[in-house]
Amino acid sequence: MRILILGGTREARDLARIASGERGFEIVSSLAGRVRAPLLPEGAVRVGGFGGAEGLRAWVADNDVAAVVDATHPFAAAISANAAAAARDSGVPLVRLWRPNWPQRPGDQWVRVPDLVAAAEAAATLGERVFLTIGRQGVDTFAGQERQWFLIRAIDPPAGPLPPRHEIILARGPFALADESRLIAEYGIDVLVTKDSGGDQTEAKLAAAREAGIPVVVIDRPPLPEGVEAVETVAQVIDWLSEKRIDRGG
């Protein structure tokens, strides 16, 4: 039973490792190729786009894929929409590995916003020195903020225009609370901007902001495609795959 994992996340790598050890599963992981030096999962790997929903549907059919797991980042809305459309058109089962949102805790000063534009507008009213932790894409949304200073952290250098006053840190999580607190204090950060990505790899910055008493602009996730089944853990995906294997008589 060949399984296509749309990956790029730690959960996707964990899933590839565990599922590769399960009898009857052949795992192929697909990475979008947007990170220059990605962490590769176990098993077969393909890198690059499919050419939209139709290209993905054709690849699934040509490669005899029995099920698709969308384990991409919660903000990878385009590939998730393509996966949903391809699965619907081909009849191949699809499940979304949808890690839980970060919970807001006592003492948090969160300002929730729907998108990057709203995040830039909110941050402009909340502080002068911004810790921008949204990844490399979308930083250009803040390029017109001439008054504020930005500490921009991403795995790879951001593309496009940047705010005129900034410093870039290239780093990959996980990040420790002590290190996040040190950054906030050392750079005099008075507002944090982040996506509601969930997971424990980068959650420490939220605790550091809470301890420092600074506001956090939290960008809401795009919604799941309509009709897509979602689970929260790798173990739940394994159970789902096992059910599909039984349904196929495996």
Side-chain angles (χ1 to χ4, degrees), residues 154-180:
I155 296 175
D156 291 329
L162 300 175
R165 304 172 61 221
H166 71 269
E167 181 174 334
I168 296 175
I169 295 178
L170 299 182
R172 189 196 303 266
F175 301 107
L177 173 57
D179 294 330
E180 300 291 65

Side-chain angles (χ1 to χ4, degrees), residues 98-120:
W98 188 249
R99 69 173 76 132
N101 300 72
W102 281 319
Q104 187 169 356
R105 303 186 187 280
D108 284 333
Q109 301 176 45
W110 285 13
V111 177
R112 302 202 73 108
V113 296
D115 52 37
L116 285 167
V117 173

